[in-house]
Amino acid sequence: MKTINSISNMTKTTVRWRQKGLSVALVPTMGYFHEGHLALMRMARSRADRVVVSLFVNPSQFGPEEDLDRYPRDLERDTELAKGQGVDCLFSPSAGEMYLPGFQTWIDVEGLSQGLCGASRPGHFRGVATVVAKLFNIVRPDIAVFGQKDFQQLQIIHRMVKDLNMPIDIMAHPIVREPDGLAMSSRNYYLSIEERKSALSLSQALRLGEKMVADGIRSGQDIIQAVRDHILSHTGTKIDYIFLGDPEELEECQEVHGKALLALAVWVGRTRLIDNTLLEG
Ligand code: AMP
C-alpha cells in the first residue's frame, strides 16, 4: 500500500490506473479507523480494481467551537489497518494544500443541508460537500463508498453528484455497530465508562421506535416522545434533535406510512453522537 500526501501525485496515480483500464473506488474518511471504516474499505475492495482511502480531518466542516483540534488521530495505526483490508493507496493531504490561500469556492446543497445536523452545525455540510467534490476531482474514482451512519451526509452527496452530473456511483454501507448496539464512531473514543452506558440509549431508542411501528403505531409525535423519554432517562444526555420524516427530502412527517427515517443527535456529556434507522410503516 502506498501513502500519498501530494495532490498531484494522487491524481497522477489514478490517471495511470485508469489509462490501464482499471476501475477506482474511493472511501473518504477522517481517520482513526474502526470496524465501520474497515467495512467500507472491504465494500470498495469488492467493487473495484483499485481502492483509495482518503484520510483528511477537514477543517472546513468543523465549527469554531467544535472538536477539530482534539479529533483523535493515529496515522501509524490507520496505515496498518488499511493495509490489512487490501487498500492500494492511503491519501492523506495537508490542510494547507487542500485549502490554498485565497480559497473561496464552496458547494452548498441547499435544502438538504438545512435541517437535522445542519441546523445545529451551520456550515458543516458546505464543508463536507466541498471537500468531497475536491476529493472526487483529485482521485477521479468510478465509485465512492459512504456509511449510512451519516445518513444526511449520504443524501447530500447523492444530490450533489446528481445535480452536478458527477460521473461517480455512490454506494451506501449499512451502519456497523458494537455487539451491544452502539453505532461505531471515532468520537466514541471520547466517552468515559459511565458515558458509554448512556450512549447505548441512542440505539435502544431507535429499536424502540422500530418496535412501535411494527406494533402498528403510526403517530410521529408518540414515537418521538417515546424515543425522547428513553434517552433522557439516562444520565448526562441532552437531545440535539430527534427527526422523523422522509428519507429522500429529509422533510418531517406527522405519521409513518411507507419508509421513514428516524434520526437522532444526542449529547452525552461533551460528546455529540448521531444514529439513525429506516422505519417501514
Ligand atoms: P468519518 O471518518 O467519521 O468521517 O467517516 C468516514 C465514513 O465512514 C463515512 O462515510 C461514514 O458514514 C462512515 N462510517 C462511520 N462510522 C460508521 C459506522 N458505524 N457504520 C458505517 N459507516 C460508518
Side-chain angles (χ1 to χ4, degrees):
M1 187 184 78
K2 280 203 234 191
T3 298
I4 296 182
N5 302 115
S6 118
I7 291 176
S8 63
N9 281 350
M10 184 69 252
T11 305
K12 269 187 219 147
T13 300
T14 44
V15 164
R16 235 181 282 129
W17 287 338
R18 296 180 66 105
Q19 279 166 350
K20 289 187 193 159
L22 300 169
S23 59
V24 179
L26 170 67
V27 183
T29 81
M30 297 206 302
Y32 211 69
F33 297 149
H34 51 66
E35 193 47 46
H37 294 114
L38 305 187
L40 268 57
M41 293 176 203
R42 287 193 290 275
M43 185 180 221
R45 180 69 286 162
S46 71
R47 306 292 160 96
D49 300 315
R50 292 289 179 269
V51 175
V52 177
V53 172
S54 61
L55 194 170
F56 182 58
V57 183
N58 173 33
S60 78
Q61 69 189 67
F62 286 79
E65 305 297 318
E66 293 185 352
D67 57 345
L68 172 63
D69 292 335
R70 63 186 193 110
Y71 196 83
R73 293 162 167 92
D74 190 341
L75 183 59
E76 220 173 287
R77 179 175 163 272
D78 285 351
T79 304
E80 287 310 308
L81 288 171
K83 248 188 220 167
Q85 302 305 320
V87 168
D88 296 287
C89 173
L90 192 64
F91 175 50
S92 177
S94 70
E97 205 191 351
M98 287 293 272
Y99 296 101
L100 292 172
F103 185 93
Q104 54 186 290
T105 307
W106 299 98
I107 294 188
D108 207 345
V109 182
E110 293 178 344
L112 291 176
S113 299
Q114 296 297 311
L116 292 89
C117 292
S120 50
R121 304 187 70 188
H124 169 67
F125 288 116
R126 185 178 89 144
V128 169
T130 304
V131 82
V132 170
K134 282 171 70 69
L135 291 167
F136 286 176
N137 284 333
I138 294 164
V139 177
R140 307 184 192 172
D142 303 280
I143 295 168
V145 184
F146 292 85
Q148 278 177 358
K149 156 111 187 318
D150 298 87
F151 195 92
Q152 185 176 16
Q153 166 176 291
L154 178 64
Q155 297 304 54
I156 286 170
I157 302 299
H158 268 299
R159 193 63 59 96
M160 173 181 82
V161 162
K162 183 175 174 206
D163 287 352
L164 298 182
N165 309 96
M166 295 175 166
I168 298 169
D169 274 342
I170 303 300
M171 319 219 61
H173 192 287
I175 300 176
V176 178
R177 298 180 178 282
E178 300 284 357
D180 63 3
L182 179 69
M184 291 198 179
S185 164
S186 306
R187 288 189 169 100
N188 292 348
Y189 160 82
Y190 297 144
L191 301 171
S192 67
I193 292 169
E194 278 310 304
E195 288 169 343
R196 173 68 179 71
K197 288 182 195 155
S198 292
L200 205 51
S201 65
L202 278 81
S203 56
Q204 289 170 345
L206 294 174
R207 300 292 87 79
L208 181 64
E210 287 167 0
K211 183 169 184 312
M212 289 175 81
V213 171
D215 290 345
I217 296 168
R218 294 287 171 269
S219 156
Q221 213 182 348
D222 290 354
I223 294 167
I224 287 174
Q225 191 59 51
V227 165
R228 173 174 289 118
D229 290 347
H230 182 80
I231 292 168
L232 292 180
S233 71
H234 292 69
T235 45
T237 55
K238 200 174 99 197
I239 290 168
D240 178 356
Y241 67 78
I242 301 169
F243 171 88
L244 181 64
D246 162 36
E248 298 295 322
E249 299 303 326
L250 304 181
E251 284 162 357
E252 283 178 15
C253 67
Q254 304 303 317
E255 301 241 316
V256 178
H257 295 290
K259 274 201 180 1
L261 172 71
L262 178 57
L264 314 166
V266 175
W267 287 94
V268 180
R270 284 177 66 205
T271 306
R272 183 177 175 280
L273 300 174
I274 57 172
D275 201 349
N276 69 81
T277 188
L278 282 171
L279 304 175
E280 186 79 61

